[in-house]
PDB file of all heavy atoms in Angstrom:
ATOM      1  N   TYR B 227     -10.672 -11.668  21.831  1.00 98.00           N
ATOM      2  CA  TYR B 227      -9.735 -11.262  20.828  1.00 98.00           C
ATOM      3  C   TYR B 227      -8.349 -10.971  21.365  1.00 98.00           C
ATOM      4  O   TYR B 227      -7.481 -10.572  20.563  1.00 98.00           O
ATOM      5  CB  TYR B 227     -10.265  -9.968  20.114  1.00 98.00           C
ATOM      6  CG  TYR B 227     -11.472 -10.227  19.303  1.00 98.00           C
ATOM      7  CD1 TYR B 227     -12.803  -9.978  19.826  1.00 98.00           C
ATOM      8  CD2 TYR B 227     -11.392 -10.782  17.992  1.00 98.00           C
ATOM      9  CE1 TYR B 227     -13.937 -10.254  19.040  1.00 98.00           C
ATOM     10  CE2 TYR B 227     -12.538 -11.039  17.216  1.00 98.00           C
ATOM     11  CZ  TYR B 227     -13.828 -10.776  17.746  1.00 98.00           C
ATOM     12  OH  TYR B 227     -14.930 -11.047  17.017  1.00 98.00           O
ATOM     13  N   ASN B 228      -8.153 -11.159  22.655  1.00 98.00           N
ATOM     14  CA  ASN B 228      -6.844 -10.876  23.295  1.00 98.00           C
ATOM     15  C   ASN B 228      -6.359  -9.520  22.878  1.00 98.00           C
ATOM     16  O   ASN B 228      -5.278  -9.284  22.403  1.00 98.00           O
ATOM     17  CB  ASN B 228      -5.828 -11.933  22.889  1.00 98.00           C
ATOM     18  CG  ASN B 228      -4.541 -11.780  23.698  1.00 98.00           C
ATOM     19  OD1 ASN B 228      -4.521 -11.314  24.839  1.00 98.00           O
ATOM     20  ND2 ASN B 228      -3.408 -12.237  23.128  1.00 98.00           N
ATOM     21  N   ALA B 229      -7.244  -8.524  23.145  1.00 98.00           N
ATOM     22  CA  ALA B 229      -6.968  -7.156  22.656  1.00 98.00           C
ATOM     23  C   ALA B 229      -7.383  -6.093  23.703  1.00 98.00           C
ATOM     24  O   ALA B 229      -8.212  -6.383  24.613  1.00 98.00           O
ATOM     25  CB  ALA B 229      -7.769  -6.873  21.355  1.00 98.00           C
ATOM     26  N   THR B 230      -6.799  -4.926  23.578  1.00 98.00           N
ATOM     27  CA  THR B 230      -7.152  -3.819  24.404  1.00 98.00           C
ATOM     28  C   THR B 230      -8.410  -3.133  23.803  1.00 98.00           C
ATOM     29  O   THR B 230      -8.770  -3.338  22.648  1.00 98.00           O
ATOM     30  CB  THR B 230      -6.012  -2.767  24.497  1.00 98.00           C
ATOM     31  OG1 THR B 230      -5.799  -2.225  23.206  1.00 98.00           O
ATOM     32  CG2 THR B 230      -4.738  -3.438  24.972  1.00 98.00           C
ATOM     33  N   GLU B 231      -8.986  -2.243  24.580  1.00 98.00           N
ATOM     34  CA  GLU B 231     -10.132  -1.491  24.073  1.00 98.00           C
ATOM     35  C   GLU B 231      -9.696  -0.620  22.884  1.00 98.00           C
ATOM     36  O   GLU B 231     -10.492  -0.517  21.892  1.00 98.00           O
ATOM     37  CB  GLU B 231     -10.688  -0.563  25.199  1.00 98.00           C
ATOM     38  CG  GLU B 231     -11.441  -1.349  26.288  1.00 98.00           C
ATOM     39  CD  GLU B 231     -12.064  -0.417  27.267  1.00 98.00           C
ATOM     40  OE1 GLU B 231     -11.319   0.370  27.923  1.00 98.00           O
ATOM     41  OE2 GLU B 231     -13.303  -0.432  27.413  1.00 98.00           O
ATOM     42  N   ASP B 232      -8.553   0.015  22.933  1.00 98.00           N
ATOM     43  CA  ASP B 232      -8.035   0.817  21.794  1.00 98.00           C
ATOM     44  C   ASP B 232      -8.015  -0.032  20.579  1.00 98.00           C
ATOM     45  O   ASP B 232      -8.454   0.438  19.520  1.00 98.00           O
ATOM     46  CB  ASP B 232      -6.653   1.329  22.072  1.00 98.00           C
ATOM     47  CG  ASP B 232      -6.517   2.245  23.292  1.00 98.00           C
ATOM     48  OD1 ASP B 232      -7.163   1.951  24.294  1.00 98.00           O
ATOM     49  OD2 ASP B 232      -5.759   3.164  23.204  1.00 98.00           O
ATOM     50  N   GLN B 233      -7.473  -1.236  20.670  1.00 98.00           N
ATOM     51  CA  GLN B 233      -7.337  -2.057  19.506  1.00 98.00           C
ATOM     52  C   GLN B 233      -8.664  -2.500  18.944  1.00 98.00           C
ATOM     53  O   GLN B 233      -8.848  -2.542  17.690  1.00 98.00           O
ATOM     54  CB  GLN B 233      -6.507  -3.284  19.844  1.00 98.00           C
ATOM     55  CG  GLN B 233      -5.054  -3.015  20.122  1.00 98.00           C
ATOM     56  CD  GLN B 233      -4.276  -4.245  20.570  1.00 98.00           C
ATOM     57  OE1 GLN B 233      -4.750  -5.004  21.455  1.00 98.00           O
ATOM     58  NE2 GLN B 233      -3.154  -4.449  20.014  1.00 98.00           N
ATOM     59  N   LEU B 234      -9.634  -2.786  19.806  1.00 98.00           N
ATOM     60  CA  LEU B 234     -10.953  -3.156  19.359  1.00 98.00           C
ATOM     61  C   LEU B 234     -11.645  -2.007  18.628  1.00 98.00           C
ATOM     62  O   LEU B 234     -12.343  -2.215  17.608  1.00 98.00           O
ATOM     63  CB  LEU B 234     -11.801  -3.659  20.513  1.00 98.00           C
ATOM     64  CG  LEU B 234     -11.361  -4.964  21.133  1.00 98.00           C
ATOM     65  CD1 LEU B 234     -12.143  -5.255  22.426  1.00 98.00           C
ATOM     66  CD2 LEU B 234     -11.510  -6.140  20.129  1.00 98.00           C
TER      67      LEU B 234
END
Side-chain angles (χ1 to χ4, degrees):
Y227 291 97
N228 189 28
T230 65
E231 288 184 301
D232 298 39
Q233 290 175 316
L234 292 171

